[in-house]
Amino acid sequence: MTVETRRLRALITELPGPADGPTATVKDNIDVAGVPTTAGSASFATGPAEADADVVRSLREAGYAVVGKTNLAEFAMGATGRNAAFGDCLNAWDPARIAGGSSSGSAVAVAAGLSDVSLGTDTGGSGRIPASVNGVVGVRPTLGRVSNRGVLPVSSSFDTVTPMARDVRTAAAALAALTGEEPVLGSGVLPRIGVAGGFFAVGVDPGVASVLLAAVEVFRGLGAQVVPVEVPSAAEAQGRMLDVMYPEAAAVHAARLRDAPERIDPDVRRRLLLGLEVPPARTAAARTWLTGFRTRVDSVFTEVDVVLTPTIPVDVPLREGLDLAASTREIARFTYAWSAYGGPSLSVPGGVHPASGMPVGVQLSAAPWRENVLLRAADAFERARGPLR
């Protein structure tokens, strides 16, 4: 696959300007001054953005050259990389397989070497899933740690900007640029690693499970304390989160749903309309449940520092014949739980699937505001794991 072919698959708009420092691409639901923000929709952009989103300004101030914008699922809703308006984004390893979503172009851009880092967004897994299936690192920060100003929302209760890169240290540096902090990786005693069972072990593809077991052995070989853990109520988290997320997404696009619903991709429109069917009382009950869930998961992090799970439970699906609705729910079921919790979570390449040769992501998650612990564990793992291929 040529670089030019990859460029066409990943980028919507190529931006002019020098690239003397590290380069960055930006998901096209994030404003870049002077460039239309399409949000992956043929009918959304009304003109060039007047100002950079806060995260884009922060990258520029840190010396990054913003060189392009990247494709995404329409309105950042979808886990497969499908986009009827601008064309599907194809996986950087195998174009017959999904690129993940909704930050598909961002993951492909860094996997294909088009930029050093890329900014995606993550609501229920939209950054970690494409990072996993394209063999790159995607970091979902603690909810509220990074500004969302200038980013088209999906759900204000769960959205966060997600830096992606080919390695942990580059991703950590990008996150530091967004927060104005120094990247902290360091060395010394590794965090205590909890390997999640129960919900996170059900229905996992055998090849994915084998990569996960190998990752556990890497941590043991590094001298980390590794213990089994259970994440209480994790199986309910996705459904409860959707009872909040869908109504918020429907509210963002209420005028569009009322005035021109036919201009929205049918699958995206169907999910937006689901938000209109959720009674306010159910949303309120979900918010109450989520508060309790966060307290229950906090208790897990009194015993361990980092919880390890697969990023997605299956091998990277083929694009042909994929049921979008069913596949999205299945692919994202392990990422939603950590979005509902609100602490930092990342996907780091764990290895390759023994049957398909596709990348398998390992998801590491920590308590809120403990990105330094999470990144230190991921960096040590990455250096010990060795190259994917």
Side-chain angles (χ1 to χ4, degrees), residues 25 30 55 59 64 103 106-107 110 116-122 127-128 131 136-141 146 160-168 170-179 345-347 375:
T25 49
I30 301 173
V55 288
L59 283 184
Y64 289 81
S103 307
S106 296
V110 294
D116 297 311
V117 303
S118 192
L119 298 184
T121 59
D122 190 309
R128 289 160 289 165
V136 301
V137 177
V139 183
R140 176 189 167 89
V146 175
T160 184
V161 173
T162 302
M164 299 185 191
R166 288 183 292 280
D167 61 80
V168 173
T170 304
L175 178 61
L178 301 184
T179 61
S345 186
L346 63 80
S347 182
L375 290 164

Side-chain angles (χ1 to χ4, degrees), residues 99-196:
S102 62
S103 307
S104 47
S106 296
V108 171
V110 294
L114 299 175
S115 61
D116 297 311
V117 303
S118 192
L119 298 184
T121 59
D122 190 309
T123 304
S126 284
R128 289 160 289 165
I129 292 167
S132 176
V133 303
N134 288 284
V136 301
V137 177
V139 183
R140 176 189 167 89
T142 299
L143 192 64
R145 182 156 212 158
V146 175
S147 172
N148 286 333
R149 186 181 308 227
V151 182
L152 178 72
V154 174
S155 170
S156 59
S157 294
F158 304 105
D159 292 347
T160 184
V161 173
T162 302
M164 299 185 191
R166 288 183 292 280
D167 61 80
V168 173
R169 288 181 175 259
T170 304
L175 178 61
L178 301 184
T179 61
E181 302 166 355
E182 289 295 321
V184 179
L185 294 175
S187 57
V189 178
L190 272 179
R192 299 165 297 169
I193 307 295
V195 180

